[in-house]
Every structure is written in C-alpha cells, then in structure tokens.
Amino acid sequence: MNDLSVNGLSGLSYLPGYFSRAAQETLLEQIRAVVARAPFYRPAMPRTGKAFTVRMSNCGPLGWVSDVSGYRYQPHHPDSGNPWPAMPALLTNLWKDLAPEAPDPEACLINYYENTARMGLHQDRDEQTFEAPVISVSLGDTATFRVGGLSRKDPTKSFRLQSGDVVVLGGEARLAFHGIDRVLAGTSTLLKNGGRINLTLRRVTQPM
DNA sequence: CAGTCGCA
DNA sequence: TGAC
C-alpha cells in the first residue's frame, strides 16, 4: 500500500492490485446481480437538470442519488422505489480489512463509465459523518483519476487506476476534491462491452 | 448570493 | 438550491 502525496494531506492511500483477476470476476458477478435488481439510471445535476455522463446504481441500506432538487442518500431506487439490494460480502470484507475501526458501511455507489464518461472534480460531503473513510474499487478499463486538496483551487495530481485497484480517502484526505478525467478504452478484458465500473463504499449516518 | 459530482 |  502506498500513501499518495497530494497537497500534503495524509490519509490518501492507493492499493494497486488489491483484487486478483479471479476476485474481480467474482465481484463483478455479484455487482451484475445487484444491477439486475436495481438497474443503472442516469442522474441529473441539481437545479440545471443536466445529465451526468456516468450511470449509477447502489447497494446497501442507503444509496446516493442526484436530481434537480439536490444530492442525497435514500433507501430506495429513484425509478422503481424498490429498496437497494444488499451489499455483497466481498465489499463488507474489504471495508473490515481497510477500515477496521469504522462503523459498518451503509452505501455502495456503483458508477458505470462508458468510454466517454467523466466525473468532474468534487468532494464526497453528503454524509452526516466524515470519520469513516471513503473506499473506492476500480473494475474494467483503466481511468485517469485526479486528486486535489480541500479547496477546489488547490493544485491537483493525476494517477492511473487499473482494474482491481483500491483507493482510500480517509483522515485529512477524506474531503479532498477528486474526479475522473477519462477512461482509457480497451485497457481491460474484464467487462465484455468495455468501460469502467467504480464502487464507492461509505458510512453515511452517525453511529449510535 | 455563493457555488456547482455540470459545461465552455 | 439552501443558507443567510
């Protein structure tokens, strides 16, 4: 595991190759089962209604959603109203491994990037607590990931994330600005139709 | 009225 | 839109 140095923030870790190819295949199968019950939808920006290029789903008790009225966590799919499927054990195990002190994860956002999809610089700040880290898993095509500081204007650095890599935004880096510049088409054989899936695990509510 | 997980 |  490496600590990435960006703007002097501690708590930003990069774990290349955390998941073996066999584990990636198992995880992908479990994610496919989730998405069969909670299909990808395309979120919209608050106020403007501008569509994201990324499509999203969730698993776990809460899911992150965005529409014209804002960002929020909610326990049901925005289209079907069904509760989000349970989080696969591989993901709760990952959380226990990398954040053993943190309360259980409540949300796993599933982002599907087709080749032209991007995600602008942003902070993950819709949670009620920032004590637990955000843990992110990359599957499929390699992407260029950009990380900055606690202010949007801070300088940024970019890194390539490959299938099976894990990134942890914790401690001082929990609220670091980050985003995906682009997906490098044809860099992985994991997803038959190409593209990239990113899984983001989060604690949302303050534990009792 | 600042600021935008967007866009120019 | 939400915070002021």
Side-chain angles (χ1 to χ4, degrees), chain A residues 136-152:
Chain A
S136 147
V137 181
S138 296
L139 294 173
D141 285 338
T142 299
T144 55
F145 175 63
R146 185 168 295 277
V147 195
L150 303 182
S151 159
R152 178 174 287 283

Side-chain angles (χ1 to χ4, degrees), chain A residues 132-181:
Chain A
V134 170
I135 299 182
S136 147
V137 181
S138 296
L139 294 173
D141 285 338
T142 299
T144 55
F145 175 63
R146 185 168 295 277
V147 195
L150 303 182
S151 159
R152 178 174 287 283
K153 322 180 305 270
D154 288 338
T156 61
K157 282 187 185 177
S158 84
F159 304 90
R160 283 186 176 202
L161 298 182
Q162 293 186 281
S163 195
D165 293 353
V166 170
V167 170
V168 182
L169 293 172
E172 294 175 2
R174 171 64 180 75
L175 290 170
F177 275 85
H178 59 281
I180 292 291
D181 290 347

Side-chain angles (χ1 to χ4, degrees), chain A residues 23-116:
Chain A
Q24 292 170 44
E25 285 168 2
T26 304
L27 184 51
L28 180 61
E29 210 171 300
Q30 296 177 353
I31 294 303
R32 284 197 201 290
V34 165
V35 171
R37 292 207 288 139
F40 284 119
Y41 72 99
R42 193 179 300 277
M45 283 292 287
R47 300 175 60 240
T48 62
K50 193 87 190 165
F52 283 55
T53 53
V54 169
R55 292 193 291 156
M56 298 183 176
S57 185
N58 288 273
C59 56
L62 291 171
W64 187 88
V65 300
S66 177
D67 61 24
V68 285
S69 66
Y71 307 142
R72 66 191 170 277
Y73 283 94
Q74 64 180 41
H76 56 272
H77 192 288
D79 296 337
S80 67
N82 293 333
W84 300 109
M87 212 180 290
L90 265 175
L91 295 177
T92 51
N93 291 345
L94 168 72
W95 184 269
K96 290 225 181 301
D97 183 24
L98 299 181
E101 315 284 277
D104 292 344
E106 294 174 301
C108 174
L109 175 61
I110 305 168
N111 286 154
Y112 176 44
Y113 293 77
E114 289 170 292
N115 290 150
T116 57

